[in-house]
Amino acid sequence: MSKLDEAQLNQAAEILTNTLNIGYPTFKDAMEEIEELLVPENTLLAAVAGDEVIGWGGILAPGYDGNVFGLHPLAVREDRQGKGIGRTIVEALEEEAKRQGGLTIWLGADDESEEGETSLADADLYDDLPSKLAEFNPGTHQAGFYLKMGYKIIGVLPDANGRGRPDIFFGKRL
């Protein structure tokens, strides 16, 4: 993404605001996130069709002596979702993490909407969490995409986004 021009970076910010609007409600918020992420330690990739950015994602600088990479963010233009763009971006980021010596990749997927999207929303996650994880249903949440990509739930932070709104952590061995 460091090679994108200003118009394309603006497109990337619009995608972030349109698809992850709870975390990035304004264009300014999205641009600030992009600016913070555009450092040499991170790897950001954009999917471009013609001159238009249609999706993008990144892996953050590795931790744990280079063994673990964080996937953040992943955003695909709404009219291009379901066409393999997100999968292609994630696979390319996983390959880059492997190339850099990574053994694990992880991400957090907040279930933060008011209505809750997963079966973990509005559940008492302090009561028998193992059974709730065994019966996990992603509903309309992006968790379903990550499960299809081979990610596993590796943790849950109850009430991270308010009562009944957990952050769900996914991981994958590279």
Side-chain angles (χ1 to χ4, degrees), residues 51-77:
D51 287 337
E52 285 188 57
V53 174
I54 57 173
W56 67 282
I59 51 174
L60 305 180
Y64 296 91
D65 294 326
N67 294 322
V68 179
F69 284 78
L71 177 63
H72 175 79
L74 176 64
V76 176
R77 208 169 74 185

Side-chain angles (χ1 to χ4, degrees), residues 31-46:
M31 279 305 294
E32 287 174 358
E33 179 71 3
I34 290 170
E35 289 168 7
E36 286 179 26
L37 292 172
L38 274 174
V39 295
E41 299 83 33
N42 297 334
T43 300
L44 301 180
L45 300 177

Side-chain angles (χ1 to χ4, degrees), residues 22 26 30 42 51 74 77 103 129 135 151 157 160 170:
I22 292 175
T26 68
N42 297 334
D51 287 337
L74 176 64
R77 208 169 74 185
L103 302 175
L129 179 60
E135 298 169 3
Y151 286 77
L157 186 59
F170 291 85

